[in-house]
Amino acid sequence: AAKAADCVAKINAAGTKDGNRAIVISTLVNPETVTILRQANALILDFFGAFISPLEAEFGMKSSHTIGRSHRLVNSAEYLARMEAINFTLAHDDGVSNAELDKADVIIIGVSRSGKTPTSLYLAIQFSIKVANYPLIPEDFERNKLPDGLTKHRHKLFGLTIDPERLSAIRQERRPGSTYASLENCRWEIEQAQKMMRREGIEWLESTTKSIEEIGATLLQTLKIDRRTY
């Protein structure tokens, strides 16, 4: 209460000094503290108050108004699993590292800008799946083999491909006028990537018209990975 009263005094002093009422966005939960804050000469925007009462009415339940509930997740197994998956996925984005690939739940491959990174992060954040992703580049096609280190993890590989016209448009935004972004090159890369995936027996998905959610669901179902929703 004392801290809330002190906060009110500071809000009022700031308003007096500036000549305008302060705008205060509140995420306070304790009703007594909220009542004290409302005594301030300010525009109070109560973030929780705007939503909790309608939700209570809709579900016929009362909020516990408990402070700090979200912070308890820090010590939960679910939170730690999710953070571990996210950190692993970020550390293994775009072929940055071959380390600990045995710990990956899935390894996504595909040409540059085919949707590997957003799909990887979606799986990590939403389902706590450890994902690595690797770009298939012209050197791989010239060698006619998968990137080094992936062969022994073939059972974890899942490919993404994309319409060449769409790929060219995406790449033009990044490197306009380049060979990398040319339609001819995009067609060649897509054709070579699909040939490689067929030859290696890798399941793959055309991502052009698919949402991240659809891609993720298909991948999990194809590789029979449990959805770790929390």
Side-chain angles (χ1 to χ4, degrees), residues 48-78:
F48 287 126
F51 299 103
I52 288 180
S53 293
L55 287 171
E56 288 177 333
E58 180 68 23
F59 293 107
M61 299 173 65
K62 285 291 183 180
S63 168
S64 65
H65 295 280
T66 303
I67 298 171
R69 286 178 63 90
S70 63
H71 296 291
R72 295 177 187 176
L73 291 173
V74 172
N75 296 320
S76 71
E78 294 88 350

Side-chain angles (χ1 to χ4, degrees), residues 16-182:
T16 300
K17 179 180 178 181
D18 295 337
N20 295 298
R21 289 202 309 163
I23 298 175
V24 179
I25 300 175
S26 170
T27 58
L28 295 172
V29 176
N30 186 287
E32 294 180 4
T33 306
V34 172
T35 300
I36 295 173
L37 180 66
R38 289 189 178 281
Q39 296 174 7
N41 181 25
L43 172 61
I44 308 294
L45 302 177
D46 188 347
F47 182 81
F48 287 126
F51 299 103
I52 288 180
S53 293
L55 287 171
E56 288 177 333
E58 180 68 23
F59 293 107
M61 299 173 65
K62 285 291 183 180
S63 168
S64 65
H65 295 280
T66 303
I67 298 171
R69 286 178 63 90
S70 63
H71 296 291
R72 295 177 187 176
L73 291 173
V74 172
N75 296 320
S76 71
E78 294 88 350
Y79 178 88
L80 294 176
R82 180 163 296 167
M83 290 302 101
E84 186 177 355
I86 293 171
N87 289 333
F88 180 93
T89 300
L90 290 173
H92 293 80
D93 181 44
D94 207 31
V96 169
S97 173
N98 281 334
E100 299 185 313
L101 284 181
D102 56 306
K103 295 183 179 179
D105 295 303
V106 60
I107 303 171
I108 300 176
I109 62 172
V111 300
S112 173
R113 314 304 286 182
S114 59
K116 300 182 302 300
T117 294
T119 300
S120 298
L121 289 174
Y122 169 75
L123 291 170
I125 294 170
Q126 190 70 18
F127 301 112
S128 299
I129 302 296
K130 293 181 180 178
V131 188
N133 76 75
Y134 272 75
L136 296 177
I137 58 178
E139 287 78 2
D140 297 319
F141 306 138
E142 292 168 4
R143 292 196 309 264
N144 201 29
K145 59 182 294 188
L146 289 168
D148 293 340
L150 295 189
T151 303
K152 63 181 179 180
H153 300 292
R154 185 181 280 104
H155 63 290
K156 296 181 180 181
L157 299 182
F158 187 88
L160 290 183
T161 186
I162 187 172
D163 177 76
E165 284 75 12
R166 176 58 181 156
L167 179 62
S168 178
I170 293 172
R171 289 183 174 184
Q172 287 289 352
E173 294 179 3
R174 187 178 184 185
R175 299 183 192 172
S178 65
T179 300
Y180 164 81
S182 71

